[in-house]
Every structure is written in structure tokens, then in C-alpha cells.
């Protein structure tokens, strides 16, 4: 397999980054640079994360054209996206936060669940829908609508959960930096052609770096295996549980492959970069390290989920089989006239 092919694979790059991250984390080889006063202390990590995420968001959103974005004409699609991508997708982390926030030994770590609950789905849902023959028009329109809604949704979720303990003005500024500015700046880049392969490589390298930066710097040892295990179970319920649950329910309802693909991506594939940016920008001191445990645990699970989607759930073999079955049963895909 060519190196370029591997670099274009999000699943491979995330998996590789995770392995390297865990090695550097438990070996402690990078502990000095992550410590207070180190080259990559919490403040520096926060600034780097916000900057890289804003750049990624700008480029990714710029690939979404202007056409068919009218939320009034497509209100059913927009409501579906908000319900799946924000409300349902954020329900499990929010419930878990309220269950654990007052439990001794878990409360300080549960704060990270708030940022996971507030985070919308990944902006790459559109490109992935195209590759997997999902409902591309719905995915692209939903991305814009959900990210605009997230400008209010994120501050709202943080306010109702952590409002008294964090600077809400800082929350608003961070949201504007990582979502508001990219939404506007991306419209200026829509006319410029960007090679898809090169863009994929650059974005995957940035994602891999952010995975390493977050997982390597998280103090899992301080939390302990039991606490870490609890947050990984919560992450598995959120990513894998919601994803497979959506697949099961929608397949039982005989919904088209294209519909199921996009819905599964929207409900299960969170934009962990936003959660990282919020955590490192809004919190301070030891609170960042504690909250990062839940986020880093979620990243570990999501890497496994992405690999499963890539190799099993949305594999080429299964896609061909499902499309053939839909055709035999008279189920039309969204790209069919």
C-alpha cells in the first residue's frame, strides 16, 4: 500500500496517532514539555488547538457550496440534523455528567463530558457521505445549519451546566474563534479549487497531531483505571451505541442506505477538536487535566469506532450488498431521480 494512500486514510492516521500517543503518554518521554513552563504547557496547547481547528474548519466548510442551503425550504432536513447531531448526540454525555458530577472521585473528570455534549458532529460528515454514497445534499446543508446553531448551542450547554464556574464571555469568544470565523471565512474560499487528495493528507496530519497532543498530555495515571474505564464505557455508549442503534432502527424501517449512512455519521461522529479547544481555552490549571480525561477517553473510543465504520459497517463489500438489496426491494437512494 502506498504511503499516500495511508496518509489519505483518516482511520489509519487516527489509529497511528493513538498508538504513538499512548506510547508517549505511559512512557513519560514528553512529560517535561507538557509540564507547567514546558514548551507545550496547557496555555500553549490551547492556543495551538484553537488555531489548527479554526484552519481545518475553514478549509472543510469551504467545500460546501451555496446551493440548497436554504433552511426554510428544507426545514425537515434541518430539524432532523439538529435533533440527531446536537440533541440526541449530546444526551448521553449530559446524562452521564449529571450522574457523576457529585460522585466523589468522578466529579472533576465529568466536566469534560459537558464539552463533548456541546460539540456538534464533525465537519467531515459531508465528504464522508460523498465517499460512502450517503445523502450528500442533506449532509452538506446540515453541516452549515448545525454549526450555525452551535454558536448558541455550545454556550447554552456550558451555561446550564458550568455557568457559575467558568467565564462565559471566554466561552463565547472561543466559539466565535473556532466556529463563527471559519463559517464566514470559508465562504471566501468556495471559489478556489483545492486538490482533494492534498487536502485530505493535510487535514489527516493535523487531526493526528491533535490526537497526539491531547492524549499524550492527559494524566491517565492520576485518574486510575476504574475511572478511565467508566468514561470509556460512556464514550462507547455515545459513539458505538448510538451509531449501531441508529443503523438497526433505520434498517428495520427499510430506510435507504444513503439515509442511514448520513444519519449514523451525524449522530456518532463528534468533532472532538471543538471539545479540546473548549476545554483548554475555557478551563485553567489542574481543571484542564481533569476534564481532558473524559475527552481523551472519548478520542480513544472514537478512533476504534472510525476504524470499525471504515472496515466493517461502511466497507465496500457491505455497501455494494446493501445497495443491491435496496434496489431489489425498490428502495430509492437520494441520488436517484
Amino acid at each position: 500500500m502506498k504511503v499516500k494512500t495511508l496518509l489519505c486514510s483518516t482511520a489509519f492516521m487516527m489509529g497511528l496517532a493513538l498508538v504513538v500517543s499512548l506510547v508517549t503518554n505511559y512512557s513519560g518521554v514528553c512529560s517535561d514539555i507538557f509540564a507547567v513552563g514546558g514548551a507545550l504547557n496547557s496555555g500553549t496547547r490551547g492556543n495551538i488547538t484553537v488555531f489548527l481547528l479554526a484552519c481545518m474548519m475553514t478549509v472543510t466548510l469551504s467545500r460546501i457550496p451555496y446551493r440548497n442551503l436554504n433552511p426554510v425550504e428544507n426545514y425537515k432536513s434541518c430539524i432532523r440534523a439538529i435533533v440527531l447531531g446536537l440533541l440526541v448526540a449530546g444526551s448521553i454525555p449530559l446524562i452521564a455528567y449529571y450522574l457523576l458530577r457529585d460522585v466523589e472521585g468522578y466529579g472533576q473528570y465529568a466536566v469534560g463530558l459537558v464539552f463533548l455534549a456541546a460539540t456538534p458532529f464533525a465537519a467531515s460528515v459531508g465528504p464522508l457521505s460523498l465517499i460512502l454514497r450517503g445523502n450528500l445534499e442533506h449532509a452538506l446543508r446540515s453541516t452549515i445549519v448545525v454549526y450555525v446553531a452551535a454558536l448558541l448551542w455550545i454556550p447554552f450547554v456550558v451555561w446550564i451546566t458550568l455557568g457559575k464556574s467558568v467565564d462565559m464571555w471566554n466561552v463565547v469568544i472561543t466559539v466565535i474563534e473556532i466556529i463563527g470565523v471559519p463559517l464566514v471565512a470559508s465562504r471566501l474560499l468556495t471559489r478556489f479549487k483545492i486538490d482533494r487528495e492534498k487536502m485530505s493528507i493535510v487535514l489527516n496530519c493535523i487531526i493526528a497531531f491533535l490526537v497526539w497532543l491531547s492524549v499524550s498530555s492527559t494524566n491517565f495515571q492520576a485518574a486510575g483505571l476504574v475511572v478511565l474505564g467508566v468514561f470509556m464505557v460512556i464514550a462507547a455508549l455515545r459513539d458505538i451505541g448510538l451509531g449501531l442503534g441508529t443503523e438497526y432502527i433505520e434498517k428495520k424501517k427499510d430506510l435507504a442506505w444513503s439515509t442511514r449512512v448520513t444519519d449514523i455519521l451525524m449522530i456518532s461522529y463528534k468533532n472532538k477538536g471543538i471539545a479540546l479547544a473548549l476545554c483548554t481555552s475555557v478551563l485553567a490549571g489542574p481543571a484542564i487535566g481533569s476534564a481532558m480525561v473524559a475527552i481523551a477517553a472519548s478520542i480513544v473510543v472514537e478512533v476504534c469506532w472510525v476504524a470499525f465504520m471504515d472496515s466493517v459497517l461502511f466497507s465496500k463489500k457491505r455497501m455494494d450488498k446493501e445497495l443491491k438489496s435496496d434496489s431489489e426491494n425498490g428502495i430509492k437512494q437520494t441520488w436517484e431521480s
Side-chain angles (χ1 to χ4, degrees):
M1 185 176 291
K2 295 181 179 179
V3 174
K4 185 180 292 186
T5 302
L6 295 176
L7 291 174
C8 288
S9 171
T10 301
F12 172 79
M13 292 297 288
M14 289 181 69
L16 177 63
L18 177 59
V19 172
V20 174
S21 300
L22 293 175
V23 170
T24 56
N25 183 304
Y26 284 97
S27 66
V29 295
C30 296
S31 57
D32 289 341
I33 64 173
F34 292 135
V36 177
L40 291 176
N41 57 56
S42 59
T44 303
R45 293 199 302 273
N47 292 332
I48 291 174
T49 301
V50 169
F51 174 74
L52 291 179
L53 181 61
C55 292
M56 285 179 59
M57 291 285 293
T58 300
V59 173
T60 304
L61 293 174
S62 72
R63 300 306 89 193
I64 299 177
Y66 285 103
R67 62 180 181 275
N68 296 324
L69 293 183
N70 191 324
V72 177
E73 293 180 359
N74 305 281
Y75 70 94
K76 290 183 179 180
S77 170
C78 296
I79 292 174
R80 185 183 185 87
I82 291 174
V83 170
L84 291 178
L86 292 180
L87 302 181
V88 178
S91 61
I92 291 179
L94 272 181
I95 293 172
Y97 167 74
Y98 281 111
L99 290 175
L100 296 175
R101 66 175 181 173
D102 297 322
V103 178
E104 185 178 354
Y106 289 90
Q108 69 270 37
Y109 303 112
V111 173
L113 295 172
V114 172
F115 301 123
L116 291 171
T119 301
F121 56 76
S124 58
V125 163
L128 286 174
S129 289
L130 174 63
I131 295 171
L132 300 170
R133 300 189 73 176
N135 189 333
L136 179 60
E137 183 178 297
H138 173 52
L140 295 179
R141 179 172 55 247
S142 297
T143 300
I144 293 295
V145 170
V146 166
Y147 273 81
V148 170
L151 290 170
L152 297 176
W153 170 255
I154 293 175
F156 172 73
V157 171
V158 175
W159 177 67
I160 63 172
T161 53
L162 308 174
K164 295 181 180 180
S165 60
V166 299
D167 184 350
M168 286 305 300
W169 177 247
N170 193 21
V171 174
V172 173
I173 292 299
T174 302
V175 170
I176 291 174
E177 289 176 340
I178 60 179
I179 296 182
V181 172
L183 278 170
V184 175
S186 66
R187 298 301 90 194
L188 304 176
L189 295 179
T190 53
R191 296 181 180 180
F192 296 93
K193 291 184 178 181
I194 301 177
D195 183 80
R196 183 177 299 175
E197 192 174 68
K198 292 179 180 178
M199 182 179 73
S200 178
I201 291 174
V202 172
L203 293 181
N204 282 340
C205 287
I206 294 176
I207 291 172
F209 175 74
L210 290 178
V211 168
W212 173 81
L213 191 65
S214 58
V215 176
S216 291
S217 60
T218 301
N219 191 351
F220 292 119
Q221 292 92 332
L225 291 178
V226 175
V227 173
L228 179 60
V230 168
F231 284 106
M232 290 188 73
V233 169
I234 294 171
L237 289 173
R238 210 225 65 78
D239 290 345
I240 303 172
L242 286 180
L244 293 181
T246 301
E247 161 67 5
Y248 176 80
I249 292 172
E250 294 195 346
K251 188 171 174 60
K252 280 288 185 180
K253 291 184 176 180
D254 292 327
L255 296 186
W257 165 269
S258 58
T259 299
R260 284 151 45 205
V261 164
T262 301
D263 285 353
I264 291 169
L265 289 172
M266 288 197 300
I267 204 171
S268 71
Y269 193 20
K270 281 276 192 177
N271 190 329
K272 296 300 193 297
I274 292 179
L276 291 173
L278 287 170
C279 180
T280 54
S281 299
V282 173
L283 301 180
I288 295 178
S290 297
M292 276 299 300
V293 170
I295 298 175
S298 184
I299 290 174
V300 172
V301 172
E302 183 157 284
V303 170
C304 298
W305 172 238
V306 169
F308 176 78
M309 286 194 294
D310 185 59
S311 60
V312 180
L313 191 62
F314 297 146
S315 66
K316 180 66 166 59
K317 181 178 180 180
R318 184 168 187 269
M319 179 172 66
D320 291 340
K321 180 181 178 180
E322 291 290 337
L323 290 175
K324 181 180 179 182
S325 176
D326 284 354
S327 177
E328 292 174 348
N329 293 323
I331 302 173
K332 289 188 176 183
Q333 308 298 327
T334 55
W335 60 80
E336 295 177 342
S337 59

